[in-house]
Amino acid sequence: MNKQKKKYLLIALIYIAFISLGLPDGLLGVAWPEMRSSFSLPLDALGIILIGSTTGYLLSSFFNGFFIKKIGVAVLLALSCLATGLALIGYTLTPFWWLLPVLAVLAGMGAGAIDAGLNTYVEKNFNEGLMQWLHASFGVGVTIGPIIMANAIKYSDSWRTGYIIVGTAQIMLALIFVLTLSLWKDSKNKKQAEGEKDKQKKREEKMIDTLKHLPALLSILLFFIYTGIEMAIGHWTYTLFTESRGISTALAGFWVSAYWGSFTIGRILAGFLAYKFLSRKITKYAAVLGLFGSILIAVNLSQGLSLFGIAITGLAIAPIFPALISSTSYRVGKEHTTNTIGMQISAAGLGGALLPGLAGVLAQNISLEIIPIFITILFILFLTINNLIKKVTDQAAGKAA
């Protein structure tokens, strides 16, 4: 197989892996009514499973840099897919509900390692357009997941069938990674590759040094805030529109779907924009447009403008996460990149859980109308930190020169 064909095969594997990453996320929401009935659980027991999966995700993504240095990205991906597959099939076999959160930790660890590992690999080896499309493919997985589970319940009358299908697919993907280990290695001759690997190891900093590096800390904070914005809008807009603004459930549901739809479209389009614009430019202007959309929702001049604001915001913020990943080395330096990407992914998971929760607390104690104001403030904070990183990076570059 020639070099070009190997490259295309590797890209296909990367896309398939990220689609598979989204599949489990789309299963649980559809399966939960049947699952909790099987184990005689209360409605809010779902939160315990989510805590388990989030814990595993945060742990594995945070230590992504360490694992990649020790075993390499291909082996990490194979083990992660295997762990995820075994955990999902484990859901279907356990007779005790308390094992579900334990298995969720294992599934979360697999997902976190796949997410951080692939982001790290693509950032180092491919262009920024591929990074945007990589994250768009995750949306494909999240979309397919509910379809698989809904049809599994419909035709087999069991939620377990859906998890068996996706779990088996994950294990098969792990086997594919094992069989294609050579594709993930550097194509240079062995001596040259080992020499460059030794140089890279010398340049790479330890995790503790990365945690002391101000641009890295600020970069991690950017991810915490960004994902909080994304999830807060997704979680709370429907409630805001229906309970505070009197918009019908059908119309509110349509526009929340439009938010996620425009989000997916935005990532596809951003893949083309990435060939013409630097990722850091895309991040800045996308956040400014997102700020504009959140202001439209917050000021509520009319129902039409508010609904337009949610669609604009979804389209605007879509490219931010992949663009931030692609520009990691610019913000923190190549020696801190591997460590920082894993920490960024971990911070993103934490922000996606905590900031929407904080929005809910504010809404409970003040008003639902505080939510778009809170999101607007987060956008301003995001842009402020992003500009601060640029100043710190430019100053460091000036001193080095």
Side-chain angles (χ1 to χ4, degrees):
M1 187 183 296
N2 63 42
K3 187 177 180 180
Q4 194 70 8
K5 286 183 179 179
K6 286 183 178 180
K7 179 183 177 181
Y8 288 137
L9 178 57
L10 183 57
I11 291 173
L13 282 174
I14 290 170
Y15 281 136
I16 292 169
F18 234 66
I19 290 172
S20 77
L21 179 63
L23 284 174
D25 287 0
L27 296 178
L28 186 57
V30 178
W32 181 241
E34 299 289 336
M35 288 178 72
R36 75 183 192 89
S37 176
S38 299
F39 292 100
S40 301
L41 299 173
L43 189 65
D44 59 0
L46 176 65
I48 300 174
I49 296 177
L50 293 176
I51 289 171
S53 61
T54 301
T55 300
Y57 181 92
L58 294 176
L59 283 172
S60 63
S61 57
F62 186 86
F63 292 103
N64 167 69
F66 172 80
F67 290 133
I68 286 181
K69 290 173 189 174
K70 290 294 182 181
I71 61 177
V73 68
V75 176
L76 177 63
L77 291 174
L79 291 175
S80 300
C81 287
L82 178 62
T84 303
L86 292 176
L88 297 181
I89 292 176
Y91 285 170
T92 72
L93 300 176
T94 177
F96 308 109
W97 96 264
W98 55 266
L99 281 174
L100 291 178
V102 177
L103 290 167
V105 173
L106 181 62
M109 290 182 71
I114 294 169
D115 196 354
L118 282 175
N119 274 294
T120 301
Y121 187 82
V122 173
E123 195 277 341
K124 285 187 172 182
N125 296 282
F126 292 96
N127 59 54
E128 296 171 6
L130 184 68
M131 181 67 79
Q132 292 287 348
W133 291 328
L134 176 71
H135 286 265
S137 68
F138 175 83
V140 174
V142 174
T143 302
I144 295 173
I147 296 172
I148 292 174
M149 182 56 72
N151 281 283
I153 293 172
K154 179 180 179 180
Y155 292 108
S156 71
D157 200 30
S158 173
W159 59 270
R160 290 179 171 84
T161 305
Y163 276 110
I164 289 173
I165 292 171
V166 176
T168 302
Q170 294 279 353
I171 293 173
M172 291 175 63
L173 185 57
L175 180 60
I176 290 172
F177 280 133
V178 171
L179 295 175
T180 57
L181 286 177
S182 61
L183 291 177
W184 301 82
K185 295 177 182 178
D186 200 319
S187 60
K188 301 179 180 72
N189 65 68
K190 187 175 179 182
K191 187 174 181 180
Q192 183 183 357
E194 287 179 353
E196 291 188 3
K197 188 176 180 182
D198 290 338
K199 289 179 182 178
Q200 180 66 19
K201 281 186 175 180
K202 289 177 182 178
R203 288 197 302 267
E204 289 180 346
E205 298 286 349
K206 294 180 180 179
M207 289 186 69
I208 188 66
D209 295 321
T210 299
L211 287 170
K212 294 176 182 178
H213 188 51
L214 179 59
L217 292 176
L218 292 174
S219 187
I220 291 166
L221 185 56
L222 277 183
F223 278 77
F224 179 84
I225 295 170
Y226 164 75
T227 314
I229 292 171
E230 176 189 316
M231 300 309 295
I233 295 172
H235 288 328
W236 287 110
T237 301
Y238 180 84
T239 305
L240 170 70
F241 284 169
T242 56
E243 295 187 14
S244 181
R245 300 187 178 176
I247 297 175
S248 69
T249 56
L251 184 59
F254 172 80
W255 281 97
V256 173
S257 295
Y259 166 72
W260 290 115
S262 60
F263 185 85
T264 303
I265 292 170
R267 285 194 170 165
I268 295 171
L269 294 176
F272 296 101
L273 290 175
Y275 287 97
K276 294 186 176 182
F277 302 99
L278 294 172
S279 285
R280 51 187 181 271
K281 294 286 186 181
I282 292 175
T283 298
K284 179 181 177 180
Y285 295 125
V288 169
L289 185 58
L291 173 61
F292 172 70
S294 69
I295 292 173
L296 285 179
I297 302 169
V299 297
N300 193 26
L301 293 175
S302 70
Q303 178 177 303
L305 283 176
S306 293
L307 296 175
F308 178 68
I310 186 70
I312 283 293
T313 305
L315 186 67
I317 69 173
I320 292 179
F321 191 99
L324 283 174
I325 291 287
S326 293
S327 55
T328 299
S329 58
Y330 164 78
R331 293 191 303 276
V332 306
K334 291 188 179 296
E335 67 275 14
H336 292 285
T337 296
T338 301
N339 290 334
T340 304
I341 287 179
M343 295 176 188
Q344 289 173 162
I345 299 294
S346 182
L350 194 60
L354 294 183
L355 291 181
L358 177 56
V361 171
L362 292 172
Q364 180 69 33
N365 289 278
I366 303 174
S367 163
L368 279 168
E369 293 297 332
I370 196 66
I371 291 175
I373 297 173
F374 175 65
I375 291 168
T376 299
I377 292 171
L378 289 178
F379 267 118
I380 294 170
L381 186 58
F382 178 92
L383 285 164
T384 302
I385 294 172
N386 192 51
N387 287 335
L388 179 59
I389 292 175
K390 185 178 184 303
K391 288 183 179 179
V392 172
T393 304
D394 289 348
Q395 286 175 359
K399 290 178 180 178

